[in-house]
């Protein structure tokens, strides 16, 4: 098959980017950031330039780790293992022929780290990639740490940027006839993410310096002591938001963790949480015949009254503007809008509707707030009291794998799901003491007419109001989003999790940090698992319980409750829900509702066990030398305790049997994050099959 001119152009653009990286040139996204900083934030320029290499390697390592886990292009199955001990290089190839002799000699000359393992992947008869793998954790999570090398007839050189790696792997695809992968699209995302990660590192250097200086003056030794002190000193200090904004690294597994396509550097620096991002939420009116809404109270008629009660001065701003325009307030529904969205997306997507006054942006009112780890969810500042709701708004920019608009399914199902969860929690009063829903109270969206095929319109003027995390914490408690447990502490420069274990050990009077870490994880999982498993077994609800959706409440460094939020990604197996006698009226065509049991299982197993617990276990092994097997055995023990309690109820015995068998199967599906980005646009989720660490213990018992 021939290559089209467009394909050739794309291939050339990736080749050029790889050449620029090899020659030490900056990528276009990096240059854009640097130009912006020179003109607007000149004091950040030196830190950004120093952070460029770190940002590039951070994304490169995450990319390679994900591609190894997914075995893309046979990166694992067709590679060889090299072990280096001093000057001895042991390679598990069938025979050390002339080709391998040259490779080993080149690596000898370059000098590899002793005591390290490497994956060697052949690209051709004369070249290969050498990947340092420090350890392989559960679910085939390979930790890539060190220099990734390209070895050729010219010698060995270190790869500095993700596009160099992609270009080399793509050359292998071209040789083998091709898989139809979209390498260029992924390259553009990674170039953008690398530039943004470098900017995040640069900002963090200064932020950390300032916070450490404040802590020194206040004689504070840990992040937790510092945050608790701020809560005492400043009634407007938002402790949960502080932890949300420690998201320097972003998603723990995704190579696109810092991708923000379509956003200029000034927007990233202004709005993203890792830059202490602030967003003044604005509003737009949608004429009622073009609007949809949903509320917790099913019989709510005056939807605007809900917002006017929450934001009293909004009413005055709307009435003034609508009177000037000759419009009736009661003919419209008002929707929160992100300021970036209002400036960049709304005028384009709703151009005709604005001209016809179907959509009316409101100028005279704003709700200032701080960006959470999810960027598009903004928490209004306290200003004398804890706001009732956080505001989740649409942002038409790709972040990780998804354009962060909000579907009509999500806005309409949020309050429906809230009613279901609240009904369940009334029945599960003991569970509700430690496993607490953050409810979605109201949803709004532009209603697409049947004759209009522009689906951007149904997703980009939409919003959800969700309960505010800070309202769930007492004065002596801290709410920490799960993803920030593994962020760097600005006070000690350890990760928050390590700092937490050290404090926890003192609280429980444990001299061994290893034993303290094990006990901490056991307590943590004992709080989280009963909720996730009970909702799955009894009600068919598979929550998307990854780190960003899970907020842990700590008191004296001990986990005491877990909050769970963001239900747009949940999967409900409908055959089980009727048992709860819960009224369910989901939006037509909702992906939330499924009649495929495996979809519900995969949602729980991937987000809770692989993303959430997998990270917890890995960090405990890295920082405290714990046995990974021992930790998974403890998680298995807790699973069995929950299953045993559920199995004692005759009506759920069969569900337990089915779910237990699925949870403990030898291999489980892992969301293939890179393969989805390489696949042609529009393709559904892709999965890779990975070994299940829980299977061993079930197999032993049987």
């Amino acid at each position: 098959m021939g290559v089209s001119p467009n394909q050739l152009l794309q291939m050339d653009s990736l080749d050029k980017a790889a050449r620029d990286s090899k020659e030490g040139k900056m990528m276009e996204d990096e240059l854009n950031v640097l130009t912006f900083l020179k003109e607007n934030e000149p004091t950040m320029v030196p830190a950004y330039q120093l952070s460029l290499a770190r940002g590039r390697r951070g994304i490169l390592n995450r990319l390679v780790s994900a591609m190894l886990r997914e075995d893309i292009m046979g990166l694992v199955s067709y590679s060889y293992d090299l072990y280096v001990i001093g000057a001895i290089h042991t390679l598990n190839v069938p025979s050390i022929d002339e080709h391998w002799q040259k490779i080993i000699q080149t690596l000898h000359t370059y000098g590899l780290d002793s005591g390290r393992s490497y994956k060697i992947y052949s690209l051709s008869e004369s070249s290969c990639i050498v990947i340092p793998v420090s350890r392989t954790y559960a679910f085939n999570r390979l930790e890539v740490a060190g220099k990734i090398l390209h070895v050729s007839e010219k010698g060995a050189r270190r790869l500095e940027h993700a596009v160099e790696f992609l270009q080399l792997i793509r050359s292998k695809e071209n040789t083998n006839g091709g898989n139809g992968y979209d390498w260029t699209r992924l390259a553009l995302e990674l170039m953008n993410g690398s530039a943004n990660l470098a900017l995040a590192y640069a900002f963090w250097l200064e932020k950390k310096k300032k916070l450490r200086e404040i802590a020194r003056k206040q004689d504070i030794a840990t992040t937790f002591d510092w945050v608790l002190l701020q809560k005492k000193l400043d009634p407007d200090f938002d402790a949960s938001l502080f932890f949300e904004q420690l998201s320097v690294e972003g998603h723990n597994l995704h190579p696109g963790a810092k991708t923000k396509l379509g956003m200029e550097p000034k927007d990233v620096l202004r709005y993203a949480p890792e830059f202490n991002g602030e967003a003044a939420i604005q509003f737009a009116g949608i004429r009622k015949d073009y609007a949809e809404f949903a509320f917790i109270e099913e019989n709510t008629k005056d939807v605007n009254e809900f917002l006017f009660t929450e934001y009293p001065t909004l009413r005055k701003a709307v009435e003034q503007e609508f009177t000037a325009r000759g419009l009736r307030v009661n003919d419209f529904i008002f929707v929160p809008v992100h300021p970036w969205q209002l400036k960049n997306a709304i005028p384009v997507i709703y151009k005709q509707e604005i001209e016809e006054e179907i959509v009316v942006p409101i100028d005279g009112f704003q709700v200032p707030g701080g960006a959470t780890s999810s960027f598009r969810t903004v928490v209004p500042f306290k200003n004398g009291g804890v706001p009732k709701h956080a505001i989740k708004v649409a942002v038409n920019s790709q972040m990780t794998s998804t354009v962060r608009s909000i579907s009509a399914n999500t806005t309409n199902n949020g309050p429906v799901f809230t009613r279901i969860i609240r009904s369940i929690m009334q029945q599960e009063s003991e569970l509700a003491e430690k496993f607490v829903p953050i409810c979605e109270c109201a949803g709004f969206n532009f209603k697409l007419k049947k004759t209009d095929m522009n689906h951007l319109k149904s997703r980009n003027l939409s919003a959800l109001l969700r309960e505010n995390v800070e309202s769930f914490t007492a004065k002596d408690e801290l709410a920490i989003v799960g993803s920030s447990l593994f962020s760097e502490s600005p006070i000690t420069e350890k990760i928050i999790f390590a700092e937490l274990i050290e404090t926890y050990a003192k609280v429980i009077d444990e001299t061994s940090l290893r034993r303290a870490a094990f006990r901490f994880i056991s307590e943590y999982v004992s709080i989280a698992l009963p909720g996730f498993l009970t909702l799955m077994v009894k009600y068919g609800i598979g929550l998307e319980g990854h780190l960003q959706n899970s907020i842990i409440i700590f008191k004296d460094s001990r986990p005491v409750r877990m909050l769970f939020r963001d239900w747009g990604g949940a999967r409900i197996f409908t055959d089980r829900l009727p048992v709860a006698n819960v009224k369910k009226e989901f939006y037509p065509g909702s992906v939330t509702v499924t009649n495929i049991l495996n979809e519900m299982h995969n949602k729980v197993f991937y987000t809770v066990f692989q993303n959430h617990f997998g990270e917890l276990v890995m960090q405990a092994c890295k920082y405290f030398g714990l046995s990974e097997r021992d930790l998974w055995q403890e998680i298995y023990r807790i699973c069995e305790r929950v299953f045993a309690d559920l199995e004692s109820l005759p009506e759920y015995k069969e569900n337990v049997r089915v779910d237990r068998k699925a949870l403990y199967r030898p291999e489980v599906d892992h969301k293939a994050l890179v393969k989805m980005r390489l696949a042609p646009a529009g393709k559904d989720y892709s999965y890779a099959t990975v070994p299940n660490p829980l299977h061993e213990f079930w197999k032993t018992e049987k």
Side-chain angles (χ1 to χ4, degrees), residues 542-562:
L543 291 174
E544 193 174 33
H546 54 57
L547 291 164
Q548 195 182 75
N549 285 350
S550 306
I551 297 95
I552 305 87
I553 306 294
F554 292 95
K555 183 175 181 178
D556 294 330
S557 299
R558 302 187 73 158
V560 292
R561 295 188 303 285
M562 177 169 287

Side-chain angles (χ1 to χ4, degrees), residues 155-217:
R157 67 175 183 87
R158 180 175 185 173
L159 301 184
E160 299 291 343
H161 198 293
V163 295
E164 294 183 68
F165 187 83
L166 286 184
Q167 190 252 8
L168 291 170
I169 297 295
R170 191 194 64 186
S171 69
K172 176 86 170 184
E173 182 196 49
N174 293 339
T175 302
N176 292 344
N179 293 305
Y181 286 150
D182 191 344
W183 300 98
T184 302
R185 179 179 66 178
L186 179 58
L188 291 172
E189 295 170 7
L190 297 177
M191 285 189 283
N192 180 262
S194 297
N196 288 334
L197 182 56
L199 184 60
Y201 285 145
F203 186 87
W204 176 243
L205 289 173
E206 186 60 27
K207 177 178 177 177
K208 180 170 58 174
K209 180 181 176 182
K210 291 178 180 177
L211 289 174
R212 293 186 78 184
E213 180 61 22
I214 295 171
R216 185 187 64 79
K217 291 179 180 179

Side-chain angles (χ1 to χ4, degrees), residues 90-292:
T90 303
L91 184 63
N92 68 336
V93 294
S95 63
I96 305 293
D97 56 20
E98 183 180 352
H99 164 69
W100 290 114
Q101 287 177 1
K102 289 181 179 178
I103 296 293
I104 292 174
Q105 182 56 49
T106 300
L107 294 175
H108 262 298
T109 303
Y110 184 88
L112 297 180
D113 295 332
S114 179
R116 178 158 283 181
S117 300
Y118 296 83
K119 293 284 183 185
I120 297 189
Y121 180 75
S122 290
L123 297 168
S124 66
E125 293 181 357
S126 59
S127 71
C128 64
I129 297 176
V130 181
I131 303 169
V133 178
S134 59
R135 184 170 173 179
T136 301
Y137 293 92
F139 306 112
N140 264 5
R141 184 169 176 184
L142 288 81
E143 186 177 34
V144 176
K147 300 173 182 177
I148 300 170
L149 305 177
H150 176 221
V151 179
S152 67
E153 294 175 344
K154 297 179 181 179
R157 67 175 183 87
R158 180 175 185 173
L159 301 184
E160 299 291 343
H161 198 293
V163 295
E164 294 183 68
F165 187 83
L166 286 184
Q167 190 252 8
L168 291 170
I169 297 295
R170 191 194 64 186
S171 69
K172 176 86 170 184
E173 182 196 49
N174 293 339
T175 302
N176 292 344
N179 293 305
Y181 286 150
D182 191 344
W183 300 98
T184 302
R185 179 179 66 178
L186 179 58
L188 291 172
E189 295 170 7
L190 297 177
M191 285 189 283
N192 180 262
S194 297
N196 288 334
L197 182 56
L199 184 60
Y201 285 145
F203 186 87
W204 176 243
L205 289 173
E206 186 60 27
K207 177 178 177 177
K208 180 170 58 174
K209 180 181 176 182
K210 291 178 180 177
L211 289 174
R212 293 186 78 184
E213 180 61 22
I214 295 171
R216 185 187 64 79
K217 291 179 180 179
Q218 295 176 335
D219 196 26
I220 294 295
T222 71
T223 300
F224 310 107
D225 289 340
W226 186 85
V227 173
L228 287 169
L229 179 61
Q230 307 319 304
K231 287 184 73 171
K232 290 180 181 179
L233 296 176
D234 182 2
D236 287 338
F237 178 77
D238 192 322
S240 61
L241 181 61
F242 171 83
F243 285 108
E244 294 268 6
Q245 295 192 334
L246 290 183
S247 56
V248 178
E249 298 279 353
H251 193 292
N252 60 319
L253 297 175
H254 206 302
K258 289 298 166 182
T259 297
K260 292 179 177 64
L261 292 183
M263 284 199 172
E264 296 296 325
K266 64 181 176 65
D267 300 317
V268 176
L269 192 62
R270 181 177 182 180
Y271 296 123
E274 60 267 37
F275 306 106
N276 300 339
E278 298 183 6
I281 294 298
Q282 296 175 257
F283 287 79
I286 305 175
R287 207 171 71 195
K288 284 185 176 178
D289 53 328
Y290 281 83
E292 288 182 306

Side-chain angles (χ1 to χ4, degrees), residues 621-633:
C621 294
K622 283 178 63 176
Y623 282 89
F624 299 104
L626 289 171
S627 160
E628 188 179 20
R629 184 183 186 278
D630 288 350
L631 287 169
W632 283 111
Q633 188 171 29

